[in-house]
């Protein structure tokens, strides 16, 4: 049986504590507790932070040639941190992962300073790797609708309820801008029947909740799946089920999208998450304001949402260059 996110986080945290000396382990335990209870980070984020700090401390111990204690951490020089980052770069780690790696170490450093355990100034003295700014690649309106249409996969040798299920999930991603984890995390009681409501409460990153509208056609697609599903959908259990009745895996949705990419001639960038990008880009293109789109997407910062303004501008310029007689 696959481990839950909470179990994976606990394993990562235990491994982190087991590899540290007594004083560092005590500091790490306090930091992990702060992440869980004060900052309310999700189990997946805590697992990633624990793994990153474990890797950081391990590489640092190799670089210094001894086991770490709190005084050694407080005495770090910027060159020591750069040596660890260089070691990660030599492993072929991408800049975005490097940035998260350093952010986790800095979080632990801030905890040490807050608790009076020493100030690890070297962590803030080193610049984070630059991440190339890439624009999201949304689907066209026609392609996004085709992906969420059960008829697109009508010829596949699959049970009808499976096709209804996949279409309903993809329709939620495009119609309401959900992350795939948010859609698959919905319980049966969360989804109103058509005509009995048009909003759902979504549990997003960091256990934050938000209210999201659901279009009537999407509700009807979910209802069609629920009626066709061979398993009893109890109110308190997951709405979307796998072939054996358990919670639906994100990988199954990704594979469904891959099959449709071939049939529709879509690029590799046409992933389930691209439907969320498409939702935001198309909404902005039809006059939606950034602040409202930020709330719908559950972005903590408006700057994260502003990237869709750049996508919309890029599409406008591409259309102008293709159609305007003096664009060349």
């Amino acid at each position: 049986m696959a481990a839950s996110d909470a179990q994976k986080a606990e394993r990562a945290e235990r491994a982190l504590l087991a590899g540290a000396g007594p004083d560092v382990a005590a500091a790490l335990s306090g930091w992990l507790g702060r992440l869980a209870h004060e900052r309310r980070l999700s189990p997946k984020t805590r697992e990633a932070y624990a793994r990153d700090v474990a890797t950081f401390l391990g590489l640092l111990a190799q670089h210094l040639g001894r086991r770490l204690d709190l005084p050694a951490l407080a005495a770090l020089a910027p060159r020591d941190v750069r040596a660890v980052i260089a070691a990660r770069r030599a492993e072929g780690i991408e800049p975005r992962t490097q940035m998260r790696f350093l952010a986790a170490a800095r979080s632990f450093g801030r905890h040490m300073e807050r608790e009076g355990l020493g100030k690890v100034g070297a962590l803030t003295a080193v610049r984070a790797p630059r991440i190339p700014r890439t624009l999201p690649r949304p689907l066209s309106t026609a392609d996004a609708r085709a992906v969420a249409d059960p008829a697109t996969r009508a010829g596949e040798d699959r049970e009808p309820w499976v096709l209804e299920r996949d279409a309903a999930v993809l329709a939620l991603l495009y119609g309401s801008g959900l992350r795939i984890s948010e859609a698959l995390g919905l319980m049966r009681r969360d989804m109103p029947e058509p005509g009995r409501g048009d909003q759902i409460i979504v549990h997003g990153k960091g256990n934050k909740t938000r209210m999201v509208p659901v279009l009537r056609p999407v509700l009807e697609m979910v209802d069609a799946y629920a009626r066709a599903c061979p398993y009893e959908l109890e109110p308190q259990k997951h709405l979307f089920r796998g072939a054996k009745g358990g919670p639906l895996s994100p990988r199954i949705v990704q594979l469904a999208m891959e099959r449709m990419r071939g049939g529709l001639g879509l690029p590799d960038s046409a992933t389930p998450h691209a439907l969320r990008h498409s939702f935001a880009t198309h909404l902005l293109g039809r006059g939606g304001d950034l602040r409202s789109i930020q709330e719908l997407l559950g972005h903590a910062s408006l700057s994260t949402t502003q990237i869709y303004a750049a996508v919309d501008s890029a599409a406008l310029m591409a259309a102008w260059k293709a159609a305007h007689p003096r664009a060349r």
Side-chain angles (χ1 to χ4, degrees):
M1 183 177 179
S4 67
D5 293 338
Q7 290 171 328
K8 291 177 182 177
E10 288 174 7
R11 282 206 298 262
E13 291 169 5
R14 284 198 300 269
L16 172 58
L17 296 176
D23 60 346
V24 176
L28 287 168
S29 180
W31 171 65
L32 292 170
R34 184 184 295 273
L35 294 182
H37 303 299
E38 292 186 24
R39 293 189 57 191
R40 298 180 64 191
L41 297 186
S42 69
K44 281 187 177 180
T45 305
R46 296 203 315 271
E47 180 194 358
Y49 267 40
R51 283 200 322 265
D52 286 340
V53 170
T55 303
F56 176 79
L57 295 178
L59 291 172
L60 197 56
Q62 287 180 358
H63 168 70
L64 297 176
R66 63 189 180 91
R67 196 172 191 182
L68 298 173
D69 55 18
L70 291 179
L73 287 175
L76 286 179
R79 64 176 177 273
D80 299 320
V81 179
R82 292 192 189 99
V84 171
I85 292 176
R88 291 289 277 169
R89 190 182 302 118
E91 296 172 0
I93 303 301
E94 296 181 352
R96 188 175 298 278
T97 305
Q98 287 263 46
M99 190 173 188
R100 191 196 69 192
F101 171 75
L102 186 57
R106 284 174 171 170
S107 174
F108 177 53
R110 287 194 297 272
H111 173 77
M112 283 180 55
E113 184 177 354
R114 195 179 294 116
E115 297 297 314
L117 302 174
K119 183 175 181 179
V120 192
L123 287 169
T124 55
V126 174
R127 281 187 179 180
R130 288 189 176 183
I131 299 177
R133 186 180 178 89
T134 57
L135 295 180
R137 298 179 65 182
L139 281 67
S140 69
T141 303
D143 286 339
R145 287 177 174 171
V147 163
D149 186 349
T152 302
R153 298 173 61 196
E156 290 189 22
D157 184 21
R158 297 187 182 277
E159 295 183 62
W161 78 270
V162 170
L163 301 180
E164 297 276 7
R165 176 201 66 195
D166 294 349
V169 173
L170 295 172
L172 273 171
L173 303 188
Y174 178 53
S176 296
L178 302 189
R179 301 176 178 93
I180 190 169
S181 59
E182 294 170 346
L184 300 189
L186 291 170
M187 302 295 128
R188 180 66 185 99
R189 65 189 175 203
D190 296 330
M191 186 64 60
E193 294 180 5
R196 296 190 176 182
D198 58 3
Q199 291 184 324
I200 56 174
I201 295 177
V202 174
H203 299 274
K205 286 186 176 181
N207 293 324
K208 295 178 181 176
T209 60
R210 68 184 189 278
M211 189 78 75
V212 176
V214 184
L215 299 171
R216 176 66 181 252
V218 176
L219 288 173
E220 290 173 349
M221 291 177 71
V222 174
D223 188 59
Y225 148 70
R227 292 176 184 277
C229 181
Y231 301 105
E232 183 179 354
L233 300 178
E234 302 93 333
Q236 74 279 10
K237 297 291 183 66
H238 283 87
L239 169 62
F240 295 109
R241 304 295 183 86
K244 296 182 179 180
L248 180 61
S249 165
R251 183 59 186 149
I252 299 300
V253 183
Q254 292 162 356
L255 288 172
M257 192 76 172
E258 287 176 17
R259 285 191 287 269
M260 280 187 285
R261 280 207 300 262
L264 295 171
L266 301 178
D268 290 345
S269 59
T271 63
H273 198 69
L275 291 172
R276 175 172 157 91
H277 294 322
S278 305
F279 164 83
T281 306
H282 298 167
L283 194 58
L284 183 64
R286 289 180 171 271
D289 67 276
L290 280 173
R291 182 67 70 181
S292 297
I293 295 172
Q294 176 196 359
E295 293 177 1
L296 290 172
L297 293 175
H299 286 161
S301 170
L302 184 62
S303 62
T304 307
T305 316
Q306 284 174 333
I307 194 170
Y308 294 109
V311 175
D312 195 52
S313 298
L316 181 63
M317 288 303 297
W320 177 76
K321 288 180 179 180
H324 199 284
R326 303 191 67 178
R328 297 176 179 81

